[in-house]
Amino acid sequence: MQYGYFDDAHREYVITRPDTPYPWINYLGSEDFFSLVSCTSGGYSFYKDARLLRLTRYRYNNVPTDAGGHYFYINDEGTVWNPGWQPTQTALDSYECRVGTGYTVIEGKKNGLKAKQTIMVPRGKTAEVTRLELTNESGETKKVSLYSFVEFCLWNAQDDSTNFQRNFALAEFEFEKDGAVQYHKTEYRERRNHYAVYAVNAPVDGFDTDRESFLGLYNGFGRPDAVLEDKPRNSVAHGWAPIGSHCIKRELKPGESVSFIFVLGYCENPDDQKFVAHEVINKEPAHKLLDDFQTDAQFEAALAELKAHWDKLLGKFSIQSGNEKFDRQVNMWNQYQCMVTFNMSRSASYFESGIGRGMGFRDCSQDLLGFVHLIPERARQRILDIASTQFPDGSAYHQYQPLTKRGNMDVGSGFNDDPLWLIFGVNAYIKETGDFGILDEMVDFDNDPSQAQTLLEHLRRSFRYIANHKGPHGLPLIGRADWNDCLNLNCFSEHPGESFQTTGPSEGPVAESVFIAGMYVGVADDYADLLERCGDHSEAAFVRGEKRAMTEAVEKNGWDGDWFLRAYDA
Amino acid sequence: MQYGYFDDAHREYVITRPDTPYPWINYLGSEDFFSLVSCTSGGYSFYKDARLLRLTRYRYNNVPTDAGGHYFYINDEGTVWNPGWQPTQTALDSYECRVGTGYTVIEGKKNGLKAKQTIMVPRGKTAEVTRLELTNESGETKKVSLYSFVEFCLWNAQDDSTNFQRNFALAEFEFEKDGAVQYHKTEYRERRNHYAVYAVNAPVDGFDTDRESFLGLYNGFGRPDAVLEDKPRNSVAHGWAPIGSHCIKRELKPGESVSFIFVLGYCENPDDQKFVAHEVINKEPAHKLLDDFQTDAQFEAALAELKAHWDKLLGKFSIQSGNEKFDRQVNMWNQYQCMVTFNMSRSASYFESGIGRGMGFRDCSQDLLGFVHLIPERARQRILDIASTQFPDGSAYHQYQPLTKRGNMDVGSGFNDDPLWLIFGVNAYIKETGDFGILDEMVDFDNDPSQAQTLLEHLRRSFRYIANHKGPHGLPLIGRADWNDCLNLNCFSEHPGESFQTTGPSEGPVAESVFIAGMYVGVADDYADLLERCGDHSEAAFVRGEKRAMTEAVEKNGWDGDWFLRAYDA
């Protein structure tokens, strides 16, 4: 089955039918604001942290799949449809989704009306910005109603999906321009200094912010009462389920186009400037954001800037092998994927709900190899962030929360491959950049500035931690796990609810890891070189000695530890 | 708008249209197995604990509301509908839902076919048992296909709704009788000694256990592909989303009825009897359960027993005031509600997700007043269970987990009304039963048998805890909260994510509670009487002195603490 094709000239993948075997998503944003958007406009947005600062609600493992997103409904004289097929699933005359570098374009046509939805998270903005263009390609004048739709999350996505006793009582809004600008300010009065704004750059014919008013209690996303009846309710949510929706009614002559820019933004205020009057929020940051997206020219400039940014990033490394498919992967999609991995570090996807974990110590370190050449300065910061969470004895939290940059104990520590990954990542960083200066940076242990040491000292403690935690064959103790996730997921748990990672007999004086042994050997030479360059010849000699001893221990016991070395050297 | 009426003779409320202003639910089960079932057959089941042993999946705050439940789909020669309207929402020719005592009957008619769905959790069984009767009321022979549907939860409802990286890889099944009996055995192999069985007492024409195969990826619950095409897939789930579904095809002559009994059960095995062969589970407990529901006569006997149980309970206290509405509430619905409250103690409802909290120390104690006359022996056990979680200093965990009966610190302790609620509940229990013997029962502190003391000693420490924690006006310190939930929900939290209950300046040496003062005075006389009866005249005198002093403190400061006394005396 063919679902699309590569458009290499535009660095896009073009999906040509909406009912893909599973939702295909793009990750928008590469700084602080992120949106996951599927090829049918499903998904959600968050600021920095998918768990703690979720702007819009999303239901994982839903029925049907991928129900919920940032939607546009069109009521074209009684025919109700979406440019991306979902959620009405009204059959389209044509459909196309272009997955681009930090943007997605969804275009649908129905009954001679074309709707083109261009979604991006612009550089330097904390917002998802969408242009919706409607073109009447028929020979008749059309009366068209356009309805936007987002469903707000009450910021903390974990609480939002469990604590209904409280959450149904919270939602609060303010408005400007007859509802064209909607401020979702839940908890802002009590204990938040941030709100969401959802706005369109045009006069509206109505709005909705209460989900039940807009959809109807028993209607799915695919049959919103307000759209079916073509009558916005102008609902103001107080509690229950807050949404944002604009209604825009226009008459389009044959050949005529109209264009609207929708901004879904995250705004913060200093604590002492939260309000301009009693219960009236300070909207200055929102106004500033919206000012930049009032015209098509502004939108196009931002999109051009975003594309230029990616062209520059992807231009740093490219090959021409003569094999189109190989070139495409190496020059574009693999690097793009590595950048997404840097941005999200697996904390949010269509399978990782964003509330189950933070970012990984191991993950960040290993992913670094994929993006260090693209953004060396950000790779540098990531290394320092990770190292700051390390424990003074050289071991590590396995995860940390991106918002706070502090280690979390959700799955504990004692993953004995983690310390070596730090060495691995630093080796790779220095090989790429030649920035030996990073080794002199003072870096906290366990986020405690009073315990700060140089990054080189962090590496020393990392290596020494493994050196001091070996088992009966002289191989590294596995601790709670190594990076063979299958191993720590299938054993040592006898009781329901027991963590697979933080308990059990694996963390004892016996279980060793050939994986970690291979890694220990693998990092040793580069690391010893660094030590020598820094003048620490005695530690370098120790490291080289350890490499020899570990290699012997592996060979003596008949394990083929060589696979890692070969992979690493290649 | 009229949505139904009371049928007092049958102790039922009859809902006459399915699209009620919000889903109306019944709580089935009064021992260990529970089902929440809405008037359109939405809801879910659990064994003992809605968080830890959830049998079926349910999505709160869903769109549309109440999507997901234990459904029966009928394909009557191309017309697909449900007896309870949901989830197909096919318009019915008639609809009725009878909310009874521990059972619900949903009856729908369409095109001359009547479907009657009687759902109960029988006494003494760990199962939801449903009879589905089909009657051809038309003049023509009908070919009818019936499809059952439940969606399994992977036991831990919290994990099930957050950890998709793992959960999509888990589901496992076994079958008997060509799929008529389906065993959902996820995690049974590794670390559970329990499984779910979903069975029908008749030969089947097919089955499904994989959600996507049955529904289709992009179809909601209302448009299952297998039903629309009238073609079961015989799918065997390995991972992804496990469901249970039977397909039964029958030809019905005019006037003919058929009846099927579906059992959704929970079964446990001793650890050393989990398997009968390699990876073949021990089905004996399931066979035993299913044997009891093979015939209509068995079903009817179990339903009659359930009704008789409730008739007996509700017969213990009744009035005839001359006011029909008053009598109805007092004799039936208020007592029924109190029993539900005893069973669930607010841990699961359509607003309480069952994963956010356990059962409350305060809640259980205060609810006791509503049901102690119905089930004194279970009220007794509940008192002892609660008291066992009390701290040795007389303070209390605010919640405990029903499965383990151990206190949990999810919202902490320091709710200074809690200790007095124990006295309050015991007073009420003894007034109703005259069972002074309960005071001599040895009861753990903090679930530690080595610290067990008599229940009377628990009461002493409760009262003394308040006596020793007073503020500047001589009133009880509020600690973290009293039972004015509004007070602890709206203040003292400045940062997102901060608990409203476990932190903040309220827990200091100053903040006092007039509520707790009133309660202190309110329990004093009855408690002092108990102490005297037990021979502890000195503590009784202390309590009476405390009452006087507290009353004076309240009056001196001009607060009207009297409201509580009046309410309590009345």
Side-chain angles (χ1 to χ4, degrees), chain A residues 20-21 57 59-61 65 89 158 162 164 166 191 211 217-218 223 351 353 493 496 498 500, chain B residues 20-21 57 59-61 65 89 158 162 164 166 191-192 211 217-218 223 351 353 493 496 498 500:
Chain A
T20 49
R57 189 172 278 160
R59 295 163 182 84
Y60 280 77
N61 196 8
T65 195
Q89 300 189 1
Q158 167 94 42
T162 49
F164 307 102
R166 176 162 187 271
R191 55 175 187 171
R211 189 181 73 202
L217 184 66
Y218 292 106
R223 296 194 295 119
F351 290 97
S353 62
S493 160
E498 199 177 314
F500 292 102
Chain B
T20 50
R57 191 172 276 160
R59 297 162 180 84
Y60 280 78
N61 196 8
T65 194
Q89 300 189 1
Q158 167 94 44
T162 49
F164 307 104
R166 176 161 188 271
R191 55 174 188 171
R192 293 185 181 272
R211 189 181 72 203
L217 185 65
Y218 291 107
R223 295 195 294 120
F351 290 97
S353 62
S493 160
E498 198 176 315
F500 291 104

Side-chain angles (χ1 to χ4, degrees), chain A residues 130-309:
Chain A
T130 303
R131 179 166 62 175
L132 200 290
E133 299 167 87
L134 294 174
T135 305
N136 183 357
E137 297 185 337
S138 79
E140 315 268 311
T141 295
K142 279 181 176 288
K143 285 188 181 172
V144 177
S145 296
L146 175 69
Y147 292 81
S148 66
F149 178 85
V150 300
E151 183 181 6
F152 289 107
C153 182
L154 304 179
W155 299 114
N156 182 318
Q158 167 94 42
D159 196 68
D160 186 74
S161 62
T162 49
N163 185 2
F164 307 102
Q165 187 187 29
R166 176 162 187 271
N167 286 340
F168 280 132
L170 295 189
E172 286 191 281
F173 279 89
E174 280 185 46
F175 301 91
E176 288 179 331
K177 299 185 180 177
D178 301 321
V181 186
Q182 306 170 357
Y183 294 93
H184 175 233
K185 59 172 191 173
T186 295
E187 281 200 341
Y188 184 85
R189 183 169 58 88
E190 303 91 347
R191 55 175 187 171
R192 293 185 180 272
N193 67 347
H194 54 86
Y195 54 82
V197 61
Y198 187 48
V200 63
N201 68 336
V204 294
D205 295 276
F207 67 91
D208 274 293
T209 57
D210 175 67
R211 189 181 73 202
E212 186 178 333
S213 302
F214 180 75
L215 292 177
L217 184 66
Y218 292 106
N219 298 21
F221 291 113
R223 296 194 295 119
D225 276 341
V227 181
L228 296 178
E229 297 170 17
D230 202 6
K231 198 167 76 180
R233 272 57 173 158
N234 297 333
S235 59
V236 178
H238 296 288
W240 295 97
I243 63 164
S245 177
H246 309 90
C247 168
I248 300 172
K249 301 187 177 196
R250 292 290 187 274
E251 197 171 275
L252 293 182
K253 297 199 179 64
E256 187 179 355
S257 275
V258 283
S259 167
F260 306 102
I261 301 170
F262 294 85
V263 175
L264 172 67
Y266 170 91
C267 301
E268 270 181 15
N269 280 316
D271 281 344
D272 59 352
Q273 294 167 38
K274 281 175 66 175
F275 296 97
V276 295
H278 180 63
E279 300 206 351
V280 179
I281 67 175
N282 175 358
K283 303 180 179 68
E284 201 178 319
H287 292 161
K288 198 158 170 298
L289 170 66
L290 298 181
D291 282 349
D292 288 340
F293 297 100
Q294 289 304 306
T295 68
D296 281 356
Q298 288 174 310
F299 182 89
E300 281 156 17
L303 183 59
E305 185 189 342
L306 180 63
K307 288 181 179 176
H309 166 75

